Amino acid sequence: MLSIENITIQLNGQRKILNHLNLSVAAGEFVVIVGANGAGKSTLFNVISGTIKPTHGRVLIDGKSDNFAQVSRVFQDPRVGTIGNFTIFENMAFAFCRHRRRHMIPFYGPWRQKFFKERLATLHMHLEDRPDDLVSSLSGGQRQALSLLMSVIGNQRVLLLDEITAALDPKSSREIMALANEIVQREARTCLMITHNIDHAIGCGDRLIVLGNGEIAKEFRGREKKYFSQKDLIE
Amino acid sequence: MGSEFAMAVEMGLIYGIIAIGIMLTFRIINFADMTCDGSFVFGGCVASILVKNGLSPAIGCAAAFIAGAAAGWVTALLHSRYKITDILAGILVAFMLYSINLRLLGGMPNITLEGSCLGNFGLLVTAMAAVLLIGYLLNTDFGLALRAIGHNSCLAKASGINVAAMMALALALSNGLIGLGGAFFCLTQSFCDVGSGIGTLIVAMASLIIGERILPFRSPTVAAASCVVGSVIYRILVGFALHGNDGIFRSSDFNLITGVLIVAIMAIGRKKKCFP
Ligand SMILES: Nc1ncnc2c1ncn2[C@@H]1O[C@H](COP(=O)(O)OP(=O)(O)OP(=O)(O)O)[C@@H](O)[C@H]1O
Ligand SMILES: [Mg+2]
């Protein structure tokens, strides 16, 4: 499904942020990535989603390179993942057309209104009752939840989650993780998730990867994950 | 007084079209476009020359739109290809257009046309068409993408939008409208002057801000309409200040009055700061 081949990133001839990194992810697999600050996790996501071009190597999705239309992403910062001076509804409509042709037809058709309300209701944050509120008036957690919803409203096969619970309180954080888990499982999306939360790292996903110095330092599959501990991160 | 009022409405409509162009750049895609002062005269010169050479005013106006659009496109190119900041790119293009405009007029600073070539009815219809068209455009999926590039280009890129192309399109559309405004200005006055562009941006900005205060709604159609309404009101206000009282102000005080008006409106209606 997703295959990252020999990726090296070296910006302006400085030190290598990613160093000959190889990773292949099967369709429907859920991979969790951990690593110290500055280990290159977000950079890896930037490469997969096509925001930056690697110095060497390539990313194949379904066997095709530059297939970025199959990637959707939730950013680390909810202010990047949503548009503050759009309404909730406009944000949904904007996300709905991700990687599609954007036609000259009004974005607020009745079918969409109904569909968006249904999707918003799955967040249990009562956002469906205030579709015309500006997103800048939402709380950080609500914005992040909306950002997650926006990233899965299309049918992209690869989903990238970058520390999506960093801004959330424990309860919302649990809810968002449950939601993410549910979406990934129900729709069999291929998912990569970055987290600093040890519980999420052990509890979620099929595989755990520790990134260090631009390389995959350690890898735990399935059952092995319970041997993962804080020590693996600090080393 | 009656003719002065008609004059104010006429000017209001012309600058209303320009204000819609300004709204597209300054408000919709968040691009501080200074091409305006140049593309206004550029449109005016192109239309004037074509009409003077016997072509119909409609063709002149269409050509003015295309000329303005080309100017806007160049600004977008300078910004996205060569990373020149938005303000400087626009100023550069306006600066260069001055020479081109002088050449268009055959080296003379101004030319006169015979008779008025454009009726007020045509003006009204064009202004309304511009409002409806821009309003509709911004309410579509495509328009949503246009609005997104200025406010979150990172997400726009990640959503598969070609930000540079969208920006070029918006700037072309904006400056096309401004060029059209310039053509209307010259054809109704039967006079075209290379210096007439100075301050176009400020006047259009005044119209935009007045419109926003009077009709503070998010609907793009209302926003576009408010530009025209604001522009007409602005003209009436300024006309009243200049002519309505006996000799306190002279017509040379136009800039001062406009500036004070803008500052006053911004000071009165400033929005509460929103926390990030
Ligand atoms: N545009 C850039 N220009 C220069 N250096 C960059 C750029 N983007 C990232 N880096 C560098 O790459 C390294 C990895 O950054 P990255 O954002 O991928 O870290 P991360 O693993 O996501 O960290 P965190 O856990 O803090 O989010 C950092 O040292 C950073 O300074
Ligand atoms: Mg990061």
Side-chain angles (χ1 to χ4, degrees), chain A:
Chain A
M1 179 68 203
L2 170 68
S3 121
I4 293 160
E5 296 180 354
N6 206 13
I7 292 283
T8 300
I9 306 266
Q10 195 170 14
L11 292 172
N12 319 326
Q14 290 163 355
R15 108 197 139 76
K16 288 177 178 150
I17 299 171
L18 294 178
N19 193 3
H20 299 289
L21 187 112
N22 286 291
L23 175 66
S24 101
V25 183
E29 196 179 3
F30 189 167
V31 178
V32 178
I33 300 171
V34 294
N37 290 131
K41 305 180 296 294
S42 296
T43 306
L44 176 63
F45 277 13
N46 283 336
V47 174
I48 297 173
S49 60
T51 324
I52 54 175
K53 283 222 170 319
T55 322
H56 294 294
R58 56 184 191 164
V59 176
L60 299 180
I61 294 170
D62 275 339
K64 283 185 271 216
S65 59
D66 293 335
N67 196 1
F68 305 123
Q70 282 301 330
V71 182
S72 66
R73 176 175 188 185
V74 181
F75 289 88
Q76 196 166 351
D77 183 349
R79 281 175 296 186
V80 181
T82 52
I83 303 175
N85 47 6
F86 275 22
T87 63
I88 294 179
F89 192 83
E90 285 167 346
N91 267 283
M92 295 290 278
F94 177 75
F96 186 71
C97 297
R98 188 188 301 242
H99 294 296
R100 295 189 203 188
R101 271 194 74 87
R102 290 167 190 270
H103 294 286
M104 297 278 188
I105 49 163
F107 64 79
Y108 45 76
W111 179 85
R112 282 199 191 171
Q113 304 217 3
K114 188 167 158 287
F115 177 62
F116 293 164
K117 282 203 167 172
E118 279 167 18
R119 297 308 291 260
L120 284 167
T122 61
L123 293 179
H124 305 297
M125 287 179 170
H126 303 293
L127 295 184
E128 67 276 13
D129 301 332
R130 42 196 285 208
D132 297 324
D133 280 15
L134 286 187
V135 163
S136 55
S137 72
L138 298 183
S139 78
Q142 288 171 327
R143 262 181 102 155
Q144 189 62 297
L146 180 66
S147 173
L148 174 64
L149 197 65
M150 284 164 64
S151 71
V152 296
I153 202 168
N155 51 4
Q156 280 79 38
R157 301 315 308 156
V158 178
L159 176 63
L160 306 178
L161 308 174
D162 192 347
E163 286 182 51
I164 54 170
T165 58
L168 306 183
D169 66 50
K171 182 166 167 284
S172 308
S173 156
R174 209 171 329 118
E175 280 172 10
I176 293 290
M177 273 317 297
L179 188 72
N181 257 319
E182 185 206 315
I183 290 167
V184 170
Q185 247 141 50
R186 171 167 36 112
E187 307 183 5
R189 293 186 196 243
T190 307
C191 178
L192 274 70
M193 180 176 84
I194 295 173
T195 185
H196 286 304
N197 184 317
I198 299 279
D199 296 334
H200 293 165
I202 296 173
C204 296
D206 312 312
R207 184 155 41 131
L208 178 64
I209 285 173
V210 183
L211 211 64
N213 294 325
E215 294 168 348
I216 294 181
K218 284 196 179 110
E219 198 169 342
F220 302 85
R221 279 168 191 276
R223 293 261 197 78
E224 297 165 19
K225 280 204 303 188
K226 66 171 180 284
Y227 303 117
F228 170 75
S229 69
Q230 207 126 26
K231 215 177 83 222
D232 292 302
L233 266 179
I234 297 165
E235 273 172 3

Side-chain angles (χ1 to χ4, degrees), chain B:
Chain B
M1 196 66 207
S3 80
E4 266 166 20
F5 184 77
M7 178 81 168
V9 172
E10 182 179 279
M11 281 307 220
L13 288 176
I14 293 174
Y15 277 84
I17 296 172
I18 296 168
I20 295 176
I22 294 291
M23 178 189 87
L24 271 177
T25 48
F26 277 76
R27 291 291 186 264
I28 303 299
I29 67 162
N30 220 353
F31 187 105
D33 180 29
M34 304 281 158
T35 323
C36 183
D37 289 10
S39 51
F40 175 83
V41 189
F42 192 34
C45 287
V46 167
S48 302
I49 288 299
L50 289 182
V51 170
K52 201 171 175 84
N53 285 315
L55 286 159
S56 80
I59 294 180
C61 290
F65 181 89
I66 295 170
W73 184 78
V74 171
T75 303
L77 197 73
L78 292 186
H79 178 66
S80 53
R81 177 81 47 95
Y82 305 117
K83 309 288 175 232
I84 300 174
T85 54
D86 49 358
I87 294 182
L88 185 58
I91 292 176
L92 267 173
V93 171
F95 184 72
M96 293 187 289
L97 276 176
Y98 187 81
S99 304
I100 296 178
N101 291 334
L102 267 176
R103 266 186 188 266
L104 276 176
L105 297 187
M108 285 174 292
N110 52 50
I111 58 169
T112 314
L113 305 169
E114 287 123 45
S116 185
C117 333
L118 205 77
N120 279 349
F121 183 69
L123 208 54
L124 190 66
V125 170
T126 313
M128 267 161 59
V131 166
L132 293 178
L133 221 70
I134 297 298
Y136 181 82
L137 177 75
L138 294 178
N139 259 329
T140 63
D141 279 337
F142 184 81
L144 214 50
L146 212 56
R147 288 157 65 190
I149 62 166
H151 295 106
N152 191 339
S153 65
C154 189
L155 183 63
K157 266 191 210 120
S159 303
I161 293 172
N162 185 339
V163 173
M166 280 294 209
M167 185 178 287
L169 195 107
L171 277 170
L173 193 56
S174 158
N175 282 287
L177 287 174
I178 295 165
L180 192 63
F184 285 159
F185 182 79
C186 290
L187 294 186
T188 49
Q189 310 277 308
S190 305
F191 184 71
C192 177
D193 187 315
V194 279
S196 60
I198 297 169
T200 310
L201 176 66
I202 296 294
V203 172
M205 202 48 128
S207 312
L208 180 69
I209 294 169
I210 294 175
E212 281 173 345
R213 292 291 186 267
I214 295 176
L215 298 167
F217 300 108
R218 284 194 83 246
S219 152
T221 315
V222 177
S226 78
C227 290
V228 179
V229 173
S231 174
V232 171
I233 290 176
Y234 163 77
R235 284 290 163 178
I236 293 172
L237 282 180
V238 171
F240 186 75
L242 289 181
H243 308 292
N245 46 57
D246 305 299
I248 301 177
F249 295 117
R250 304 179 200 154
S251 45
S252 56
D253 294 333
F254 180 82
N255 287 14
L256 184 64
I257 293 174
T258 300
V260 171
L261 198 65
I262 292 183
V263 173
I265 294 169
M266 291 191 117
I268 294 167
R270 68 174 183 276
K271 288 187 196 137
K272 292 210 177 65
K273 200 164 158 43
C274 134
F275 296 100

